[in-house]
Amino acid sequence: MKTFLLSIITTLLFYTAGHAQNGKVNSLPPGRYETVLKQAPKKWTQGDIIILDDQRYKVSTSNDIGEYRFSATAQRIFFLSGPLKTVYAKTLTTGNQPSIILPLSENSRQGVDMVGTDVLAVLKKSSD
């Protein structure tokens, strides 16, 4: 049942992402950005991206904390250190939520070993 629900949610997220890429991300709020593979309804093995504050991040599968810079003008995240150093990342909106996409084509050109597809990370809404 969980797999079925994840499949439906993933499909909806990617459908929405395809139509919402023109929405600019003005800020990258702290929180857990849940990752999924674009070509398959499953999680990215590297874990979720956790934005700690306006300069630091980590991934859920590691205790290493890295630094990043967000550019609203370029709609890019620059991972300066840590587990995602050298990974190419862009931002977009997915269902009115800020999201991070790690595109396969750009990362392959840079020699970063991806999983054969784009990775999408969407900010998880808090359950307040």
Side-chain angles (χ1 to χ4, degrees):
M1 184 67 173
K2 285 184 181 180
T3 304
F4 177 72
L5 289 175
L6 180 61
S7 170
I8 290 174
I9 291 169
T10 303
T11 303
L12 290 173
L13 285 175
F14 286 119
Y15 177 77
T16 305
H19 296 284
Q21 291 182 3
N22 292 333
K24 291 204 174 231
V25 175
N26 295 320
S27 66
L28 207 56
R32 179 180 286 261
Y33 289 73
E34 294 183 325
T35 59
V36 290
L37 303 180
K38 190 167 187 178
Q39 297 297 327
K42 59 182 179 179
K43 304 267 303 161
W44 187 35
T45 58
Q46 299 294 325
D48 295 333
I49 300 171
I50 302 168
I51 301 295
L52 301 171
D53 55 35
D54 62 348
Q55 296 178 8
R56 300 177 309 131
Y57 78 96
K58 70 179 197 169
V59 293
S60 61
T61 57
S62 171
N63 288 328
D64 293 339
I65 294 177
E67 284 191 33
Y68 77 95
R69 295 291 179 266
F70 169 64
S71 170
T73 304
Q75 291 296 287
R76 289 269 323 269
I77 299 173
F78 300 93
F79 294 110
L80 306 174
S81 64
L84 298 177
K85 184 179 179 181
T86 73
V87 171
Y88 183 92
K90 299 187 296 187
T91 58
L92 55 98
T93 55
T94 305
N96 294 328
Q97 288 291 97
S99 303
I100 302 166
I101 188 161
L102 311 177
L104 173 65
S105 59
E106 285 87 350
N107 281 301
S108 294
R109 277 188 243 135
Q110 291 182 227
V112 176
D113 185 26
M114 296 293 284
V115 290
T117 186
D118 294 348
V119 176
L120 178 67
V122 180
L123 179 62
K124 180 180 179 181
K125 293 181 181 180
S126 63
S127 58
D128 294 324

